[in-house]
């Protein structure tokens, strides 16, 4: 694995241990997740114990230590979305993308996750696709979204 990008990122943050979260965010942006080798290199570059880097990487839900798909889909299953049909939306997304909630497909095209509220309850049911909110989802809208992601 080419870790030169990790070194560049650490240098950008002047190898300051207090910049660990920002560094991990940039590393994750680069690789789409936090590969173990990259986490080890961050630990070396910042001279911070590996256990501490892993503690930060596992504490924040935004970090992933396993490979993620090119498209990240997060379906809200909170109460407001649930009563407006989120379970049907989730089933349809699983069917369309061929991946179950909490999983990434083997081609690393899609990662599907669920959360309990994304703060847009009035728009329920809601899914966040690659950082973009999609509200008042129907099975038809899901089909259109899936088509776009497959392009
Ligand atoms: S419950 Fe879905 S956005 Fe709040």
């Amino acid at each position: 694995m080419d870790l030169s990008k990790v070194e560049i990122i650490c240098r950008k943050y002047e190898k300051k241990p207090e910049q660990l979260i920002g560094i991990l965010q940039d590393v994750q942006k680069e690789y789409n997740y936090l590969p173990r080798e990259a986490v080890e290199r961050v630990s070396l570059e910042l001279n911070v114990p590996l256990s501490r880097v892993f503690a930060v990487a596992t504490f924040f839900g935004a970090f992933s230590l396993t490979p993620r798909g090119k498209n990240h889909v997060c379906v809200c299953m909170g109460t407001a979305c649930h009563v407006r049909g989120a379970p049907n939306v989730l089933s349809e997304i699983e069917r369309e993308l061929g991946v179950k909630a909490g999983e990434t497909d083997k081609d690393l095209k899609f990662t599907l996750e669920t959360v309990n509220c994304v703060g847009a309850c009035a728009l329920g049911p809601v899914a966040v696709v690659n950082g973009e909110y999609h509200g008042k989802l129907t099975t038809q809208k899901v089909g259109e979204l899936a088509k776009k992601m497959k392009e």
Side-chain angles (χ1 to χ4, degrees), residues 6-15 23 42 45:
V6 178
E7 290 174 37
I8 292 167
I9 291 166
C10 289
R11 256 186 268 135
K12 182 179 126 189
Y13 287 90
E14 298 170 0
K15 299 189 181 189
I23 290 168
V42 168
E45 293 285 335

Side-chain angles (χ1 to χ4, degrees), residues 67-81:
R68 295 208 294 189
K70 191 175 141 236
N71 293 285
H72 183 246
V73 182
C74 194
V75 180
C76 179
M77 296 300 283
T79 309
C81 288

Side-chain angles (χ1 to χ4, degrees), residues 5 27 34 43 62 69 74-75 98-99 110 114 128 139 146:
K5 298 250 170 69
V27 170
L34 294 175
S43 162
C74 194
V75 180
V99 63
F110 310 107
T114 58
V128 184
T139 48

Side-chain angles (χ1 to χ4, degrees), residues 88-146:
N88 288 342
V89 166
L90 178 62
S91 301
E92 187 63 11
I93 291 177
E94 287 178 333
R95 197 186 63 76
E96 282 278 359
L97 303 184
V99 63
K100 292 279 178 204
E103 293 179 356
T104 296
D105 70 321
K106 64 175 173 34
D107 298 327
L108 297 180
K109 277 192 188 153
F110 310 107
T111 293
L112 178 57
E113 289 173 347
T114 58
V115 285
N116 285 325
C117 186
V118 292
C121 307
L123 296 176
V126 178
V128 184
V129 178
N130 299 325
E132 199 173 291
Y133 282 61
H134 296 270
K136 300 197 185 298
L137 285 174
T138 58
T139 48
Q140 190 193 336
K141 279 189 182 175
V142 166
E144 289 161 14
L145 269 177

Side-chain angles (χ1 to χ4, degrees), residues 29-71:
K29 233 181 260 166
E30 193 59 44
Y31 297 93
N32 213 17
Y33 77 110
L34 294 175
R36 185 182 172 89
E37 298 93 324
V39 173
E40 287 170 353
R41 180 59 66 91
V42 168
S43 162
L44 274 177
E45 293 285 335
L46 303 189
N47 199 20
V48 167
L50 186 58
S51 58
R52 196 172 141 223
V53 181
F54 269 115
V56 171
T58 50
F59 179 78
F60 293 100
F63 293 127
S64 175
L65 292 164
T66 52
R68 295 208 294 189
K70 191 175 141 236
N71 293 285

